Amino acid sequence: MNRKKLKETDREIYTTIRKELKRQEEGLEMIPSENFASKAVMEAMGSVMTNKYSEGYPGKRYYAGNEFIDEAENLAIERAKKAFNAAHANVQPYSGSPANAEVYLAVCKQGDTIMGHALPDGGHLTHGWKTSFGGIFFKSIQYHVKADGYIDLEEARRLARENKPKIIWVGASAYPRQFPFREMAEIADEVGAYLVADVAHISGLIIAGVHPSPSPYVHIITTTTHKTLRGPRGAMILVTEKGLKKDPELADKIDKAVFPGLQGGPHDHTTAAIAVALHEAAQPEFTEYAKQIVANAKALASELMNNGLKLVSGGTDTHLILIDLTTIEPGHGIFAQEALETAGITANKNTIPQEPSSPFYPSGVRLGTPALTTRGMKEEEMKQIGKWITAAIKETEAYRLPEDKEQRQETIKKAKADIRRNKALKQIRKEVRELCKKFPLYK
Ligand SMILES: *Cc1c(COP(=O)(O)O)cnc(C)c1O
């Protein structure tokens, strides 16, 4: 990418961006919420569309000069409706968390009861966790997953009957299986709740048809645009036909909650880039891409299990894998994350269902294949990467997390220094770099 002007104007940021690009090129990006947006998406993002103020919606703006902003936003809206088979789309939410706040604002009053998938069980902060607005402004009920890693539908049904929530969320950030939209709809319909599918992680898979669509079952869909959808950082809120049937004013309520409820001027450069990402996602190549994401995740999962690692739910249906490290010890995620990073593999420590340790010292590692698949990697590479991941985790087997909190800091500090010097991990890093060279980014 040409950054000639930036180089002239601001050498420091120019250099930092170059270093970040090199980091992305030379490592295996396995955080499942991350991806590499296309050059076309980035060209739309880095365009004159960022210069405009356009509070309001197409045809109803507060400022003049929005003819072409309207054109871009209308394209994004039409493409979004088509992609998700929805009756209405709002493409202005700044990101996934504000989009979810806007859903609450549209259909709930402060103090209402809401229900979502518990954070330690893979759910998202915004679905009612105590430190986020859903848990702060509402009476939050949380459902969980069973010991086998699948959503506990019986518990969800019982909690819904007992508490009559106004909203039920379905969707999560660390759930390796398909979401039971149909079953959750039965529960929501029985108690008269709005069912909201938050498909932030899997929207690309849904568009490509490799994960069932929530559209026939839910009233509202929220999604980020930068995860499997591979667009710019942003989000969308969609209202389904079923949603309009339940509440004919729902689309209007959502639009008012986004603006003026929670946001000001839309990020028109992002809107343009969302339109581009949706156009890309409508192509046959994207369907192939999404299929390969899942095929890669399945190949990686079998390799990890063949090498003796335990996976939550025993595998994956999606782009995401959760390694359960309690076979070594509860709370071991921090050591594994550090070893993987040293080996050139970026992943994150994560809680596992019925977490025996704590969210700060979780017992799992979360991995995903969307970014690697964008680079063109396939099953063969996944097998090799599975071997590296197993070997890297093996290097941490001797470490133990002390019970005592102060001792913990000391032990972790020492272990990290130790891990960074580890020869076996450094060797893996070399091999990772070689593999990455064969799959260049932004060629
Ligand atoms: C990533 C994510 C979000 C939040 O998106 P941000 O853009 O990080 O605010 C919301 N819900 C789910 C399920 C997510 O995975």
Side-chain angles (χ1 to χ4, degrees):
M1 238 154 287
N2 185 348
R3 278 183 293 271
K4 232 172 91 206
K5 275 290 160 209
L6 181 61
K7 189 175 177 183
E8 277 171 35
T9 307
D10 186 340
R11 196 72 193 206
E12 287 169 292
I13 282 293
Y14 170 80
T15 309
T16 303
I17 293 175
R18 287 237 341 199
K19 287 191 281 192
E20 172 59 13
L21 173 62
K22 188 160 182 287
R23 187 195 69 80
Q24 292 185 14
E25 276 173 339
E26 291 185 347
L28 294 172
E29 185 48 75
M30 299 197 74
I31 293 174
S33 48
E34 292 188 12
N35 213 330
F36 302 115
S38 71
K39 276 190 184 171
V41 163
M42 286 202 251
E43 281 175 11
M45 237 190 306
S47 72
V48 293
M49 305 300 262
T50 196
N51 296 335
K52 193 70 195 99
Y53 244 109
S54 58
E55 285 169 330
Y57 291 101
K60 294 170 280 185
R61 306 282 188 185
Y62 285 75
Y63 296 105
N66 278 302
E67 185 183 351
F68 304 112
I69 298 299
D70 281 6
E71 204 169 285
E73 187 165 335
N74 279 326
L75 273 171
I77 289 169
E78 286 315 310
R79 289 172 184 174
K81 281 160 61 176
K82 199 160 167 223
F84 293 94
N85 188 25
H88 179 78
N90 187 309
V91 296
Q92 293 189 9
Y94 297 143
S95 210
S97 302
N100 290 351
E102 286 148 7
V103 169
Y104 286 117
L105 191 58
V107 297
C108 292
K109 287 199 187 61
Q110 198 173 337
D112 279 353
T113 301
I114 61 109
M115 183 166 102
H117 186 135
L119 179 77
D121 289 46
H124 193 260
L125 277 165
T126 55
H127 298 178
W129 190 246
K130 54 197 170 215
T131 54
S132 176
F133 47 78
I136 293 169
F137 296 118
F138 305 102
K139 181 175 173 244
S140 168
I141 308 294
Q142 304 269 276
Y143 62 87
H144 300 85
V145 298
K146 298 174 288 178
D148 65 5
Y150 286 78
I151 289 174
D152 188 343
L153 290 166
E154 272 173 43
E155 184 201 32
R157 181 173 289 111
R158 179 176 56 75
L159 290 173
R161 283 179 180 160
E162 284 170 11
N163 297 284
K164 301 272 184 303
K166 196 80 173 276
I167 291 187
I168 298 176
W169 293 94
V170 55
S173 306
Y175 187 70
R177 295 299 180 178
Q178 291 189 348
F179 289 99
F181 296 130
R182 183 197 297 269
E183 292 82 352
M184 291 300 287
E186 278 171 25
I187 294 171
D189 291 345
E190 185 190 323
V191 302
Y194 287 98
L195 183 61
V196 191
D198 177 353
V199 299
H201 263 258
I202 54 166
S203 48
L205 307 183
I206 289 170
I207 292 175
V210 298
H211 186 295
S213 168
S215 167
Y217 306 110
V218 308
H219 305 103
I220 300 170
I221 301 170
T222 66
T223 182
T224 58
T225 49
H226 48 275
K227 297 182 185 176
T228 49
L229 181 50
R230 211 163 59 177
R233 306 200 83 74
M236 307 189 279
I237 305 174
L238 303 121
V239 178
T240 63
E241 289 293 348
K242 184 176 171 180
L244 288 184
K245 217 185 227 167
K246 175 176 170 66
D247 180 355
E249 284 165 26
L250 191 54
D252 199 40
K253 287 179 185 170
I254 292 287
D255 284 352
K256 285 198 172 114
V258 174
F259 175 82
L262 203 120
Q263 298 190 172
H267 294 178
D268 297 313
H269 58 305
T270 304
T271 304
I274 288 174
V276 175
L278 287 165
H279 176 72
E280 289 179 351
Q283 308 309 314
E285 296 83 1
F286 190 87
T287 305
E288 289 313 305
Y289 164 63
K291 281 185 189 156
Q292 191 65 49
I293 291 177
V294 177
N296 282 352
K298 284 181 188 286
L300 179 62
S302 359
E303 185 64 29
L304 295 173
M305 289 189 291
N306 289 343
N307 285 302
L309 286 170
K310 186 175 168 193
L311 303 188
V312 169
S313 84
T316 181
D317 299 327
T318 62
H319 63 301
L320 184 146
I321 291 168
L322 206 50
I323 305 175
D324 175 350
L325 295 165
T326 54
T327 46
I328 302 175
E329 60 156 347
H332 201 73
I334 191 155
F335 299 123
Q337 175 179 307
E338 193 69 22
L340 289 170
E341 188 174 3
T342 305
I345 299 168
T346 314
N348 65 284
K349 59 185 162 62
N350 211 97
T351 48
I352 56 166
Q354 305 175 345
E355 176 58 58
S357 179
S358 76
F360 295 105
Y361 297 102
S363 304
V365 167
R366 191 180 69 144
L367 296 166
T369 54
L372 299 186
T373 309
T374 295
R375 293 186 86 147
M377 293 185 190
K378 297 215 160 77
E379 286 90 337
E380 193 187 329
E381 286 76 36
M382 296 305 124
K383 283 209 157 41
Q384 179 55 60
I385 292 165
K387 289 193 174 75
W388 286 329
I389 291 172
T390 318
I393 291 175
K394 267 220 158 60
E395 293 298 314
T396 70
E397 262 176 4
Y399 300 120
R400 285 293 174 272
L401 194 67
E403 287 287 331
D404 181 77
K405 286 226 166 96
E406 266 166 44
Q407 227 184 325
R408 246 179 207 185
Q409 292 310 321
E410 206 42 43
T411 304
I412 289 169
K413 221 172 113 194
K414 263 191 68 204
K416 280 188 176 174
D418 207 33
I419 284 169
R420 277 187 219 122
R421 282 192 305 264
N422 182 301
K423 290 226 173 71
L425 295 173
K426 283 192 189 168
Q427 177 57 34
I428 297 176
R429 181 174 204 123
K430 243 193 228 156
E431 292 168 28
V432 162
R433 232 178 250 141
E434 286 310 306
L435 176 70
C436 287
K437 272 195 202 137
K438 288 194 232 155
F439 297 90
L441 262 178
Y442 302 115
K443 40 194 165 199

